[in-house]
């Protein structure tokens, strides 16, 4: 007996976006699908990709991370090699948090030098994140755009700074991550603004702001689902791959607190906390995940089938 | 020991008011009947009650509203400045004086020709006269009619004297609550404004007679003041008025002047706390309640009200859209008086602005239609982006001001005031908020009943602004939902037109009463989808820019 | 498809008679469309209207209950495919398994471990919902005793994973607790008969959608009505696909033959059960059986469930409290705004842009913006004064000066009167904060004494 399954057909397709690699490296292509995630229907030419964060500046590491990535703190190039080499990260998210005035205030030229160093340490594709300080980033992005000798993605462009970030990216052939605070309409608005600047749609990723598990994950989940449904339904401004940075998972007390006896082992729990955040993002439709725990690269990649 | 507070002389009126310690200069001005703009009702929010003080005072040196140079020169905010001691001289600065009004009276009545069936019985021994009134938040307008044949005898407008106690309605309700005797003061001001208007109508009438009937359309707060009931509950959840219907009473019961004391006063029923009898009158004038096709009606004023429906059903809401198109919340905004720029074109190459001015003099500021045009032109010329931020284009026409970077519409040497007429990013953001709220209100009504916007056959624009706005500019910035311009019909002062219609035909008055019970009030503050619709509107023209593009493209082809 | 308010209105008498309690027929139609009223409230409604509107109101996915009383677990009864379309009503039920062949000591300690899988998060208790009792002994008496013991120790409803014989014995011993009968596929017939006789819920296990079509029909034919469908996937990927298609068949196709809550046994060697469980919580699993009782697994899963099964129409809020921006000191400015997330993000960004370290107070106003909260009476002189006194800001700064959003300048007098703090009226627009903060004289934040 055969049952007719009501499989939705979508008129739209997500733009395929490639994060270029250096010589000898493997570029990452995501997007290109015309169906919802995790289902054996429609076309999914590219599996979601899992990358790792490499960062400058101080970061207090929770127990689950101290033993794994702890030894590489302060050495972005070595960390980048380890992530891309041993831990299987398909791309790197290089956060220049250390340039923030409250995080040590490394100079803009230092930040640009770190970018150069990481790019020469590994051929893996790289997304470069700013420090989050508006005035510093206004100097940092142009410097990074110039310093990066191969194409990277700049993260992120938002309504306040998009002319500057996208302008720097355009001038040197980089891509951008378009950011909005958990709001589908603002996500679309950002992409329309980028399109008005003539920014090519196949060099744009959407960062919908990823809340950590237990702390706003549900809003992110629904916004990703809505962005994806809109993109597949033909709204070209939202037909972009979605990038989720899982860093907020590590802000949860549940991921880091060793003192609660009834919560189980803090290492396993922290790892699970990030993994669960990532799985929810994948179920909603995320195409790129950035994690901190090395073992989650394999865990999440295993889940991220075509 | 401080000296006793002396007398306060207000210039340019030259009126002395005895000083009372602890009372602000604004309160003194109010007491003395001196016109002084205080749109926020003395809440120190608007920074518009600027006065030049000579003498000893305290306070009013708000660094947010005044520059250091202004403070040093003795300029103060009257609402926060208090007399200390001795005689004080207070000059009300030009920008802080209410302008004289020559606003619009014209309203269309699209409900169709009808027999003349006046409300009234005959007057005793003289010609029976009827007065139709539109009691607006800022303007009172009236028409005098000969009830023996329906002919119009005279028309007049006046400022609503309540303006001195707050430009927006909420500020007035707060004033009534928190000022001793505030309610009586506001009610007295309204009655004196109405009496003065009727007096001028009668003076201008070629036919003497006796006023037998008055029909008044006003928003719910004004209707409450007129009827002598407290509007306080309207500003608090669930925002219900004390009453929605106002049984007809003779003028003496309301306390009007002898000219209308024996006339029967009929006040249009309200639909909700923020949708009043003026909107009911507007529905009457549009005739939407008699047709099978679905219409939308916008009343663009200090707030924006929207009605959706047809002869069987209607649903309405108030959008809490700001007064940007009445000139409020915009730095160089002003009402549509002589001296206001009413239309603007920008040359895309040079970014130079051309304009037309009401009364043909030098421009002093921008009225609603000018503001609308300016925003549309700035966007079309690429000087602002879709988010309402300045781009690199037209940088030569901009200068930095205390309120941020500003586009110079009129350079000072060409303006009436000797100051540049400028438009800042924050002005544009106010316009964005206003238009987003208005458009989202209409979309929320469509969503509430589950109709697509293609189902809307007619769009009526009520309010003086509606007569003068450029519909293409409106579509360019997304003031209304993307609907073909051929479906739009401006109504002008529909509230007055509706009141006049009811005065001339008693069936219309019955319709008005039945509209009140057959029109659903939709509370946007409890509509979960509204915030999202609003966010979608905070963009030029709209986040759904595809729909606007296709409607605009069709207009250009047409 | 769901009827719109106008569709419904057209079926109503259009008399605005108010007998339903609504002010107009349109208002009543909107209530029906929102699922908040039934056509039964309209006495003058025509028979045609009644018929059409009752059919539209029936839930596409039936409700199945397991257990009784406070611990009752409800499966199904969902109406949408995506939570943003309305909401998901009944959270994925999570059962942790226990084997009946464990020693008494092991059995007791495992039950104790299951009982501890209950956590307090943001004011809610999130817990494992059921105990799944696996029959490994093959012994009916032992299984029945284990069922009674599990019930007594945990109070949680049971999933009885057992062949026909032990199943019947356990039902005999524990039927009033309304367990879910979960026989292996080969024992479906006797178990369905048992479920029908005892009016108990039955988990129908068969391979895939096609297998379920046959097995569910057989269960119905045996008289079992309260059914849960287990498509028996072999991989997490297959599990998500089956769960999605079952839910789509119910909601999109209104296929009554397959419209049942879904259940998945992720124990006994199922590959990567944690991964499958997390994805099934997100994607349409109604009941999951897990072998892990590790709180490091269950706390994240239960938290994910807590997140996804909240009502998405609640506005996005941030946690109220005192937020340091930069590295504020005891003489840094104190600002206040509301906990609507967009408001918070905007104000926070603008204060950061000012480069003036500050304390930002986030008031709890149920996620409204400043003006909305003021208008709704949630952001008032009283509530702000209460926050100033109770949030601990008094210990963080030595001054007593608060910067109030310009939009609510009118509250300043009341705050000063109630709290003793001095109020500075900030700008109306958050975007003006950087210049405002930079212009503030330091003297505004001198310590107060006494």
């Amino acid at each position: 007996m055969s049952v007719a399954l009501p499989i939705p057909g979508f008129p739209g397709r997500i733009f395929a976006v490639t994060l270029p690699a250096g010589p000898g490296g493997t570029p990452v292509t995501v997007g290109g699908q015309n169906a919802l995630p995790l289902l054996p229907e429609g076309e999914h030419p590219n599996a979601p990709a899992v990358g790792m964060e490499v960062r400058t500046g101080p970061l207090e590491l929770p127990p689950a991370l101290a033993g794994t990535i702890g030894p590489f703190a302060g050495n972005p190039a070595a960390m980048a090699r380890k992530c891309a080499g041993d831990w299987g990260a398909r791309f790197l998210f290089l956060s220049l948090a250390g340039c923030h005035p409250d995080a040590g205030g490394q100079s803009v030229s230092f930040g640009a030098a770190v970018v150069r160093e990481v790019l020469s340490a590994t051929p893996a594709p790289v997304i470069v994140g700013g420090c989050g300080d508006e005035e510093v980033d206004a100097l940092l992005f142009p410097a990074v755009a110039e310093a990066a000798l191969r194409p990277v993605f700049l993260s992120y462009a938002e309504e306040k700074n998009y002319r500057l970030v996208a302008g720097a990216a355009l001038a040197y052939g980089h891509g951008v991550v378009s950011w909005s605070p958990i709001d589908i309409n603002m996500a679309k608005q950002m992409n329309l603004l980028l399109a008005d600047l003539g920014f090519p749609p196949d060099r744009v990723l959407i960062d919908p702001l990823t809340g950590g598990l237990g702390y706003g994950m549900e809003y992110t989940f629904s916004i990703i689902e809505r962005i994806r449904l809109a993109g597949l339904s033909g709204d070209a401004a939202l037909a972009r791959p979605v990038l989720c940075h899982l860093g907020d998972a590590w802000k949860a007390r549940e991921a880091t607190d060793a003192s609660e006896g009834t919560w189980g082992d803090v290492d396993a729990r922290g790892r699970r906390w990030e993994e669960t955040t990532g799985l929810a993002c994948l179920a909603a439709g995320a195409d790129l995940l950035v994690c901190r725990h090395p073992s989650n690269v394999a865990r999440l990649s295993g889940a991220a089938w075509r | 020991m401080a000296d006793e507070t002396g007398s306060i002389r207000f210039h340019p009126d030259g009126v002395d008011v005895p000083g009372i310690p602890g009372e602000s200069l604004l309160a003194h001005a109010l007491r003395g009947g001196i016109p002084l703009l205080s749109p926020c009702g003395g809440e120190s929010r608007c920074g518009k009650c600027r006065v030049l003080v000579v003498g000893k005072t305290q306070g009013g040196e708000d660094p947010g509203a005044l520059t250091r140079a202004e403070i040093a020169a003795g300029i103060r905010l009257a609402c926060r400045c208090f007399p200390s001691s001795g005689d004080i001289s207070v000059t009300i600065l030009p920008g802080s004086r209410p302008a004289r009004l020559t606003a619009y009276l014209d309203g269309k009545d699209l409900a169709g020709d009808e027999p003349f069936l006046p409300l009234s019985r005959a007057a005793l021994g003289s010609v029976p006269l009827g007065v139709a009134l539109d009691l607006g938040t800022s303007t009172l307008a009236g028409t005098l009619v000969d009830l023996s044949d329906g002919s119009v005898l005279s028309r007049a407008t006046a400022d609503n004297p309540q303006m001195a106690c707050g430009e927006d309605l909420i500020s007035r309700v707060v004033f009534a609550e928190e000022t001793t005797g505030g309610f009586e003061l506001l009610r007295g001001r309204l009655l004196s404004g109405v009496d003065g208007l009727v007096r001028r109508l009668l003076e201008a009438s070629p036919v003497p007679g006796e006023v037998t009937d008055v029909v008044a359309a006003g928003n719910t707060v004004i209707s409450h003041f007129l009827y002598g009931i407290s509007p306080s509950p309207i500003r608090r959840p669930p925002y219900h008025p004390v009453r929605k219907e106002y049984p007809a009473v003779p003028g003496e019961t309301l306390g009007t002047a002898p000219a209308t004391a024996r006339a029967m006063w009929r006040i249009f029923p309200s639909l909700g706390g923020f949708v009043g009898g003026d909107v009911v009158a507007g529905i009457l004038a549009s005739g939407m309640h008699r047709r099978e096709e679905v219409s939308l009606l916008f009343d663009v004023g200090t707030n924006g009200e929207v009605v959706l429906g047809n002869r069987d059903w209607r649903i309405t809401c108030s959008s809490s859209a700001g007064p940007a198109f009445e000139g409020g919340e915009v730095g160089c905004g002003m009402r549509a008086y002589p001296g206001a720029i009413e239309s603007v074109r920008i040359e895309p190459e040079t970014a130079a602005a051309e304009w037309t001015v009401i009364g043909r003099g030098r421009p002093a500021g921008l009225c609603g239609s000018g503001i609308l045009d300016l925003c549309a032109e700035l966007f079309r010329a690429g000087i602002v982006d879709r988010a309402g931020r300045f781009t690199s284009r037209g940088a030569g026409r901009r200068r930095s001001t205390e309120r941020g970077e500003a586009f110079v519409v009129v350079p000072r040497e060409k303006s009436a005031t000797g100051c540049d007429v400028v438009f800042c990013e924050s002005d544009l953001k106010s316009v964005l908020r206003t238009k987003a709220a208005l458009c989202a209100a209409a979309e929320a009504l469509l969503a509430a009943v589950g109709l697509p916007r293609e189902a809307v056959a007619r769009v009526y624009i009520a309010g003086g602004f509606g007569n003068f706005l450029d519909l293409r500019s409106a579509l360019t910035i997304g003031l209304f939902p993307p609907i073909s311009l051929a479906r739009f019909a401006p109504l002008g002062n529909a509230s007055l037109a509706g009141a006049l219609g009811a005065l001339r035909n008693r069936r219309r008055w019955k319709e008005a009463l039945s509209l009140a019970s057959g029109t659903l009030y939709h509370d946007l503050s409890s509509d979960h989808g509204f915030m999202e619709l609003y966010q979608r509107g905070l963009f030029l023209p709209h986040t759904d820019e595809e729909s606007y593009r296709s409607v605009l493209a069709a207009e250009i082809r047409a | 498809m769901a009827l719109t308010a106008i569709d419904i209105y057209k079926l109503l008498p259009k008399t605005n008679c108010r007998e339903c309690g609504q002010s107009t027929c349109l208002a009543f139609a909107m209530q029906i469309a929102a699922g908040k009223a039934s056509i039964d409230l309209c006495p003058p409604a025509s028979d045609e209207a009644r018929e059409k509107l009752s059919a539209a109101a029936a839930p596409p996915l039936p409700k199945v209950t397991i257990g009784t009383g406070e611990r009752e677990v409800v499966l199904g009864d969902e109406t949408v495919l995506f939570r943003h379309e309305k909401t998901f009503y009944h959270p994925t039920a999570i059962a942790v398994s226990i084997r009946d062949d464990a020693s008494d000591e092991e059995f007791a300690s495992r039950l104790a471990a299951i009982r501890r899988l209950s956590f307090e998060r943001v004011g809610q208790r999130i817990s494992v919902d059921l105990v799944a009792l696996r029959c490994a002994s093959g012994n009916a008496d032992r299984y029945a005793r284990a069922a009674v013991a599990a019930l007594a120790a945990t109070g949680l409803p049971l999933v009885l994973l057992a062949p026909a014989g032990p199943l019947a014995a356990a039902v005999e011993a524990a039927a009033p607790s309304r367990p879910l009968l979960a026989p292996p596929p080969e024992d479906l017939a006797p178990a369905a008969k048992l479920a029908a006789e005892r009016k108990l819920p039955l988990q129908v296990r068969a391979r895939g959608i096609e297998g379920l079509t046959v097995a569910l029909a057989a269960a119905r034919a045996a008289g079992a009505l309260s059914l849960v469908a287990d498509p028996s996937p072999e991989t997490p990927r297959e599990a998500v696909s089956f769960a999605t298609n079952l839910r789509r068949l119910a909601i999109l196709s209104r296929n009554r033959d397959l419209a049942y809550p879904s259940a998945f046994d992720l124990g006994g060697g199922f590959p990567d059960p944690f991964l499958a469980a997390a994805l099934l919580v997100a994607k349409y699993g109604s009941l999951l059986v897990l072998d892990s009782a590790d709180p490091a697994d269950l706390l994240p899963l239960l938290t994910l469930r807590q997140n996804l099964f909240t009502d998405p129409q609640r506005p996005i809020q941030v946690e109220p409290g005192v937020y340091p921006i930069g590295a504020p000191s005891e003489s840094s400015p104190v600002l206040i705004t509301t906990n609507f997330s967009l408001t918070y993000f905007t104000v926070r960004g603008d204060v950061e842009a000012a480069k003036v370290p500050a304390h930002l107070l986030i008031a709890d106003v149920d996620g409204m913006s400043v003006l909305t909260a003021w208008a709704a009476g949630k952001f008032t002189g009283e509530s702000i004064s209460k926050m100033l006194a109770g949030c601990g800001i008094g210990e963080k700064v030595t001054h007593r000066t608060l910067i109030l959003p310009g939009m609510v300048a009118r509250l300043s007098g009341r705050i000063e009167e109630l709290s003793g703090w001095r109020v500075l009226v900030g700008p109306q627009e958050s975007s003006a904060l950087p210049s405002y903060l930079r212009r503030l004289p330091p003297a505004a934040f001198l310590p107060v004494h006494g």
Side-chain angles (χ1 to χ4, degrees), chain B residues 470-487:
Chain B
D470 180 328
L471 283 173
R472 284 190 192 201
S473 291
L475 200 55
T476 301
I477 71 159
L479 177 59
F480 305 119
I483 294 172
S484 167
L485 297 187
R487 299 185 185 183

Side-chain angles (χ1 to χ4, degrees), chain B residues 43-46 62-64 68 80 170-171 174 235-237 239 312-315 426 429 433 448-451 517-520 522 528 531 535, chain C residues 4-7 9 14 16 18 23-24 26-27 30 313 340 342 372 374-377 406-412 423 425 428-429 431 436 439:
Chain B
E43 302 271 357
S44 70
R45 284 187 298 129
C46 66
D62 190 328
R68 210 170 291 163
R80 282 220 148 184
I170 294 292
S171 297
V174 172
R235 85 171 180 110
R236 293 201 175 80
Y239 313 107
D312 294 326
W313 57 271
R314 286 157 308 279
I315 182 168
S426 61
K429 294 272 181 195
R433 283 195 297 271
V449 301
L451 274 182
S517 57
T519 305
L520 178 62
H522 185 62
H528 294 294
M531 271 311 284
Q535 180 62 43
Chain C
T4 66
I6 283 291
D7 296 334
Y9 173 82
K14 307 189 187 80
N16 297 337
R18 303 188 180 206
S23 60
T24 67
L26 181 62
M30 286 164 61
Q313 289 187 336
F340 176 46
L342 273 184
T372 320
W374 166 75
M407 296 273 191
V408 289
R410 60 191 90 204
L411 299 179
S412 53
V423 173
V425 175
Q428 301 221 9
E429 285 302 313
S431 59
Y436 176 87
R439 273 202 317 217

